[in-house]
Amino acid sequence: MCGIVGLFLKDAALEPKLGSLVETMLATMCERGPDSAGFAVYGAPAAGRTKMTLQSASPETDFAGLRDDLRRITGVDSSLQVKSTHAVLTVPSGMADVVRAELRAAHPGIRVMSVGETIEIYKEVGYPTGVAARFDLASMQGTHAIGHTRMATESAVTTLGAHPFSTGPDQCLVHNGSLSNHNNLRRELVRSGMTFETDNDSEVAAAYLTWRMQQGMNLGAALEKSLGDLDGFFNFVVGTRDGFGVIRDPIACKPAVMAETGQWVAFGSEYRALVGLPGIEQARVWEPEPATVYFWER
Amino acid sequence: MVEHFKMRTVDLAATPLRDLNADLHRQGDGSNETRWEVLNPRGAHAVAVGVDAPLAIDVRGSVGYYCAGMNKKAAITVHGSAGPGVAENMMSGTVVVKGDASQYAGATGRGGLLVVEGNASSRCGISMKGIDIVVKGSIGHMSAFMAQSGTLVVLGDAGDALGDSIYEARLFVRGKVKSLGADCIEKEMRDEHHALLAGLLDKAGVSGVATTEFTRYGSARKLYTFNIDNADAY
């Protein structure tokens, strides 16, 4: 199973409502994925700054004193906004790699969920409505967001095994399905310099797209290539800083519905996920074709 | 004296789906409550599943999985689109989808008529066993896979692997077929096929379309039983 929702806004007037719209969408997909949930929200960029979303199982101890430690290492100030088990650390652009190395060396309990100018990723084990509430998804603003409710099939039910997966700056991927050639592909990607946090098949798909985009492809071209290189069942919904993409495998047995109006483009594993969107009665609603890339960019 | 049949309206925004289905299941052949209207389905699953009475049910909006599954005798109209498995294993009666239908519409159906006024996606009529299906738009890949009996009529195009491993179901397609599945071949349209098709088009409310515009497809009957000469095709 698993449930996917995605919303890409074309009308800036809806941006303050992005979080509440996506929370409503996510809540309809609880039965499809009751064991964990997560979401990526693309918010406003801050000039000259990079956002890092961090996660810890012991946020009280791990996040306390983190800013002081990072100031000592980097020589500049950063801001830290704690939300439950996650925290958004904002650092000067170009500092993310230094900070990541310091976190790995001195703060082994902290995991980096995402890095980028606009992306923030929150994910946890638990019932999806509870996960959305603990991070206050409803209050989040932004241009686009992707959410996932997980029923694990290929790997353990853990925070890191939840979706979305982020393997490159401002990139994320959620997956419904299972890949059959992920072990082989992971080995090939590791040889190409990619790194992995989990044994999860979906993380391999995310890293594959990141690797393709590092080669200079845009998201649409990378998705097109994935059809030849990924084997298995998949519906992917993928976000970049300015883009939103959808692809289904050629067999297309995992459910998918899309809708579009002048104000937004939306994806849902089921039509139920879309019924709360403004203007859905007038939207163009369709089922994405198998092996076909759908891609929007602002 | 004119008999007044009661019209029942059930608003799924206020009434739990199980209550609706339990109410529908209480109806039998002599029921006075023959007309039903279901409001605000909002993509709900299993709307009007397992009805076993000659009721007319109008669902005002789009539904999720398995709407009208196992239908017997009822005439169910979805005034919207339907999710996967609409009219799955229908026994008799009529199901009309005014919009599009998702995967495996009419799967395993044993009787009755399913009309999809828009498009149906992949696996339409998979393993059909006697149901008649009329799709006014196009159908997706792997439709009529292992179809055993009944008739599938498509006014638009068909996707890849139409009729793969088909038994005795009859397929009529007016548009293009992207590819035929194993053991499915084009067949001649004889008088009885024109008559059958004309009858179904009429029942589905299609007018102004000639049966000569269709091509018939069916089984080459080479895969029915194991034959070592066909090993590559299994």
Side-chain angles (χ1 to χ4, degrees), chain B residues 6-79:
Chain B
K6 254 168 74 183
M7 162 85 146
R8 284 281 304 273
T9 299
V10 180
D11 186 351
L12 286 178
T15 305
L17 177 69
R18 282 176 187 231
D19 291 0
L20 165 69
N21 283 337
D23 241 3
L24 291 171
H25 296 165
R26 272 193 283 274
Q27 311 305 316
D29 278 330
S31 171
N32 277 341
E33 297 180 313
T34 54
R35 291 185 56 218
W36 292 67
E37 187 173 45
V38 179
L39 307 178
N40 290 309
R42 294 169 69 85
H45 298 179
V47 173
V49 156
V51 180
D52 185 5
L55 313 177
I57 304 169
D58 285 286
V59 182
R60 304 282 176 192
S62 293
V63 292
Y65 283 73
Y66 307 125
C67 180
M70 301 178 283
N71 182 51
K72 215 169 169 183
K73 304 175 191 165
I76 300 175
T77 303
V78 177
H79 297 269

Side-chain angles (χ1 to χ4, degrees), chain A residues 174-244:
Chain A
V174 298
H175 175 203
N176 178 13
S178 59
L179 300 178
S180 43
N181 67 338
H182 62 101
N183 281 328
N184 205 32
L185 195 54
R186 188 186 292 105
R187 280 192 289 274
E188 289 173 15
L189 289 168
V190 166
R191 274 200 292 276
S192 301
M194 303 301 293
T195 55
F196 290 87
E197 302 274 348
T198 71
D199 293 329
N200 189 288
D201 58 333
S202 310
E203 189 185 13
V204 175
Y208 171 84
L209 295 175
T210 298
W211 174 67
R212 284 295 189 195
M213 286 189 274
Q214 282 174 359
Q215 295 173 327
M217 290 182 190
N218 73 3
L219 175 58
L223 287 170
E224 199 72 59
K225 274 281 183 196
S226 75
L227 285 168
D229 290 332
L230 297 177
D231 189 14
F233 296 118
F234 52 85
N235 282 349
F236 296 136
V237 178
V238 183
T240 63
R241 186 184 185 282
D242 305 304
F244 178 79

Side-chain angles (χ1 to χ4, degrees), chain A residues 32 251-253 255 270 272 287, chain B residues 43 45 65 102 121 123 141:
Chain A
R32 297 194 66 90
I251 304 293
C253 61
E270 301 176 23
R272 283 191 297 170
E287 189 168 305
Chain B
H45 298 179
Y65 283 73
S102 184
S121 98
R123 306 172 185 89
H141 62 277

Side-chain angles (χ1 to χ4, degrees), chain B residues 126-143:
Chain B
I126 185 169
S127 199
M128 55 195 277
K129 300 176 176 74
I131 190 174
D132 293 322
I133 303 174
V134 178
V135 179
K136 296 188 182 177
S138 296
I139 59 173
H141 62 277
M142 291 304 283
S143 289

Side-chain angles (χ1 to χ4, degrees), chain A residues 156-177:
Chain A
V157 177
T158 60
T159 302
L160 286 182
H163 302 217
F165 287 94
S166 182
T167 48
D170 283 312
Q171 295 169 14
C172 80
L173 171 142
V174 298
H175 175 203
N176 178 13

Side-chain angles (χ1 to χ4, degrees), chain A residues 105-178:
Chain A
H107 302 270
I110 293 178
R111 309 288 189 145
V112 179
M113 300 278 110
S114 67
V115 176
E117 287 180 40
T118 65
I119 193 172
E120 295 175 19
I121 287 183
Y122 302 86
K123 57 189 192 183
E124 269 302 349
V125 172
Y127 204 64
T129 46
V131 174
R134 78 191 284 180
F135 298 117
D136 196 16
L137 169 60
S139 73
M140 294 185 191
Q141 307 190 4
T143 53
H144 50 303
I146 294 169
H148 186 271
T149 63
R150 183 171 187 233
M151 186 180 283
T153 54
E154 292 285 309
S155 56
V157 177
T158 60
T159 302
L160 286 182
H163 302 217
F165 287 94
S166 182
T167 48
D170 283 312
Q171 295 169 14
C172 80
L173 171 142
V174 298
H175 175 203
N176 178 13
S178 59

